Amino acid sequence: MDIRDVMTTRELAEALNLNQAYVLRRAKEELEMDVDYRSTGKRSYIFAPSAYDKMKVKTIPKLIKAEMLPNMRIHLEFDNGESRFLSSQLEQDYFEKVKKLRNWAVGINMLPTVAWQGNESSIDQDGNLRMGGKTYTSQELYEKSTRHI
């Protein structure tokens, strides 16, 4: 094997047009350690050419169903039969605001309340989810979601 064929996580992510965190998660699920990739330090990996070949074949499934769950989470179902869970951007925004208000709110015994801003959502024929005035692609939802809550 030629050393020029070995890829870093960043290079592999760019070649696959995916983010690095998603590439690492897929590598741990789909590739064989010390055959297709190996660790070079804390959170640092290199990949053999076989890793690119194996990972480029997988296509992103299309979203077919989305339902709101308690605690601002979303249950997603894809056309490959896979169910995944996503913490909504609203949840992330909420907890960011709570961190800023925590000291002030605790000082006067006032805790913030969580509520959804409407329940309108739709999925178009390409599997894109429109919710809260924003559109999320199937790829974005699949990459940011997890198999378990």
Side-chain angles (χ1 to χ4, degrees), residues 15-136:
L16 294 168
N17 195 27
L18 300 170
N19 70 50
Q20 292 181 40
Y22 181 64
V23 166
L24 288 176
R25 186 172 66 190
R26 278 191 53 199
K28 291 175 182 176
E29 292 174 358
E30 301 171 19
L31 302 178
E32 190 175 341
M33 180 68 118
D34 295 324
V35 174
D36 298 312
Y37 73 107
R38 74 175 182 85
S39 174
T40 59
K42 187 176 182 180
R43 295 190 299 177
S44 178
Y45 298 88
I46 56 173
F47 296 84
S50 61
Y52 175 77
D53 295 334
K54 290 176 182 178
M55 292 181 78
K56 77 175 182 178
V57 173
K58 184 174 181 179
T59 59
I60 300 296
K62 188 167 82 170
L63 180 69
I64 58 171
K65 184 178 179 184
E67 53 188 343
M68 305 305 236
L69 297 175
N71 298 324
M72 296 176 153
R73 288 194 168 82
I74 304 169
H75 175 244
L76 306 168
E77 289 184 22
F78 293 88
D79 64 355
N80 65 353
E82 193 170 353
S83 286
R84 298 178 72 88
F85 299 90
L86 178 71
S87 295
S88 75
Q89 186 62 43
L90 293 173
E91 177 188 30
Q92 295 165 14
D93 292 345
Y94 168 77
F95 286 112
E96 187 62 35
K97 289 175 185 172
V98 167
K99 283 196 290 191
K100 291 177 184 175
L101 294 172
R102 183 181 60 215
N103 293 336
W104 177 79
V106 169
I108 60 171
N109 290 329
M110 188 170 127
L111 298 174
T113 303
V114 179
W116 281 104
Q117 297 296 317
N119 58 2
E120 298 287 326
S121 66
S122 62
I123 301 171
D124 66 18
Q125 69 269 11
D126 296 325
N128 300 321
L129 175 65
R130 181 156 179 79
M131 180 178 67
K134 293 184 180 181
T135 301
Y136 305 93

Side-chain angles (χ1 to χ4, degrees), residues 63 76 86 129 136-145:
L63 180 69
L76 306 168
L86 178 71
L129 175 65
Y136 305 93
T137 65
S138 282
Q139 179 174 349
E140 180 182 11
L141 294 168
Y142 192 82
E143 289 175 7
K144 292 182 178 180
S145 62

